[in-house]
Structures are given as C-alpha cells and as structure tokens.
Amino acid sequence: MKNTIIAPSVLAADFANLQRDAELLNNSAADWFHIDIMDGVFVPNISFGMPVLEAIQRHAKKPLDVHLMIVQPERYLETFKKLGAEIITVHYEACPHLHRTLQQIKSLGCKAGVALNPHTPVNVLEDILHDIDLVLIMSVNPGFGGQKFIEHTYEKVRKVRKMANDRGLNTLIEIDGGVTTNNAKALVEAGADALVAGSFVFNSANPTQTIQDLKTICEVSL
Ligand code: DX5
Ligand code: ZN
C-alpha cells in the first residue's frame, strides 16, 4: 500500500484564526503544511511573508513544505530555513542557475524541490532530475487558490515518473492546484506521491474529515 502525502495549503486557511487552523492540521491526517509564498512579481498576487510564517511555525507540528512563487528565491533560502522549512521548492521559471540554487537548498539541510508551471515541459528537468528531491507539477497557474484543475497534468505526472524510474531515482512528485477527491486517486495512479489541497479542504464543512477522505481515497495498491 502506498502512503500518499497530503499537504493542505495554508493559503486557504482563515488568517484571522491561524493558530486554530494550524492545530486543526496537527490533529488531522495531514502530513505536511503547504506554505505558498507569493511576491506579486513572479505571480500576480501577494500571499504572506516571513512574520506570518513565523507565526505558523510556532504552532505547526508537521513538516513545512514551502513553495516559493518568487523571483530570485536564492536571496531568501536561509531565511526560510530559519523559519522552519523542511522542503523548499523553487520555480524552474524563476531560476537561471537552478543547479546552484538546489545545492544551496541542500546545503541548508532541506529537501530541494522544483516547481513547473503548466506550460513548462517536464523534459527541461532531464539533466537535473538527479539533483532534485521533489518535482512539484502545477495543475493550475500559480498565484491563486480555488482554480480549476488542468487535465493535461496527468500526462506530465506519468512522464516525470518515467524519467525518474528510468534513472533509478525515487523523486517525489507533488501536485498543486485544484486537487479534490475527484482527481486524487487518478493522480496517485499516474505516479504522484504528494497532493496539495487548499480550498477543497478549508472551504469544506469539515476540513479534518476532508483531509481523511483525501488520504483514504489515495490508498491504492500499486
Ligand atoms: C497556487 C498555490 C496552491 C494553492 C492551491 O498558486 O501554489 O498551493 O494554494 O489551492 P487550491 O487547492 O485551492 O487550488
Ligand atoms: Zn503551492
């Protein structure tokens, strides 16, 4: 049985009740806290920054999975490490020196992730996959929660899984955007290891149950 990682996105939490929502995640089947950092430059939206992450960190008891939707992420890697990041994911599109940036993330003792926008072909990772711990495939255009899942994502997941298998790597594949109980199982069957879900979890009547539902539906025998 494969254990799929469920990473609720704090972007969809109630910012006026962050402690309550952090405790909700602590006491749920969630595996990671997904943290979306947006700078208003790389993406057309600004989410939250260091002081808010510091507040989340004080209450979170699970790994912080930090997704940087910012230009020049290398400027802030050390700060995010200090703020408790266990996984730091940068965008392929924001890193002209991706190899160096990944080495910097690893030298801090974090897992290094690379995110791909919907239009970015997965084969750009062919010569760097062995240096990546996690590939985050955006299944919506980054910048906002609550968008519709892009169906072409399945194809990209299968391709990355094949690329990793061909190289004997156990690269984690994470899917971000528009994830629900309708597509979770098919994503895992295509090769996904981790699913981010924001609005589907926090806009539901019972987020704890919704996280459990995602976890259960992903229990596929492979
Ligand atoms: C989008 C973010 C996502 C977002 C997902 O730019 O990277 O993590 O929070 O939200 P939903 O699950 O609502 O699509
Ligand atoms: Zn994200």
Side-chain angles (χ1 to χ4, degrees):
M1 196 74 83
K2 186 172 154 177
N3 174 38
T4 303
I5 293 161
I6 304 295
S9 172
V10 178
L11 185 65
D14 179 354
F15 289 176
N17 285 291
L18 272 180
Q19 178 174 359
R20 181 199 67 190
D21 284 354
E23 275 161 11
L24 184 151
L25 296 184
N26 288 338
N27 296 319
S28 75
D31 297 278
W32 295 345
F33 282 52
H34 185 78
I35 306 291
D36 288 308
I37 306 289
M38 305 179 185
D39 66 355
V41 179
F42 180 68
V43 287
N45 193 16
I46 299 176
S47 55
F48 53 81
M50 285 73 173
V52 174
L53 182 52
E54 197 275 326
I56 295 167
Q57 186 207 5
R58 263 186 280 134
H59 301 290
K61 296 203 179 88
K62 294 180 178 178
L64 302 183
D65 170 35
V66 176
H67 176 194
L68 297 180
M69 285 161 276
I70 64 175
V71 297
Q72 300 182 332
E74 59 282 354
R75 294 168 66 194
Y76 301 105
L77 299 174
E78 215 175 315
T79 306
F80 284 111
K81 163 68 185 177
K82 283 193 186 128
L83 289 168
E86 284 195 27
I87 303 125
I88 298 181
T89 296
V90 295
H91 265 263
Y92 170 83
E93 302 83 3
C95 296
H97 303 287
L98 184 60
H99 182 270
R100 179 185 295 146
T101 305
L102 295 175
Q103 303 313 318
Q104 285 171 350
I105 296 173
K106 289 185 185 175
S107 71
L108 294 167
C110 296
K111 278 197 166 45
V114 176
L116 298 179
N117 278 340
H119 76 277
T120 304
V122 300
N123 59 19
V124 297
L125 300 181
E126 267 173 18
D127 291 307
I128 190 81
L129 198 63
H130 49 278
D131 287 306
I132 300 176
D133 297 309
L134 177 148
V135 174
L136 184 158
I137 299 177
M138 287 302 312
S139 39
V140 298
N141 284 292
F144 303 92
Q147 302 179 78
K148 191 174 173 298
F149 179 83
I150 297 170
E151 295 290 323
H152 181 65
T153 305
Y154 297 112
E155 185 61 25
K156 293 178 83 170
V157 178
R158 281 191 286 269
K159 281 189 190 162
V160 176
R161 180 50 66 213
K162 182 170 184 332
M163 266 167 68
N165 285 347
D166 288 350
R167 291 162 175 74
L169 301 169
N170 42 23
T171 318
L172 290 173
I173 301 178
E174 182 173 36
I175 312 302
D176 189 3
V179 171
T180 70
T181 44
N182 290 330
N183 51 27
K185 187 168 196 224
L187 285 166
V188 172
E189 283 168 349
D193 304 286
L195 304 178
V196 175
S199 47
F200 185 69
V201 166
F202 284 102
N203 294 351
S204 70
N206 184 343
T208 307
Q209 184 59 48
T210 304
I211 294 165
Q212 184 57 57
D213 292 346
L214 281 166
K215 196 86 189 165
T216 307
I217 212 161
C218 290
E219 281 174 6
V220 286
S221 323
L222 294 176

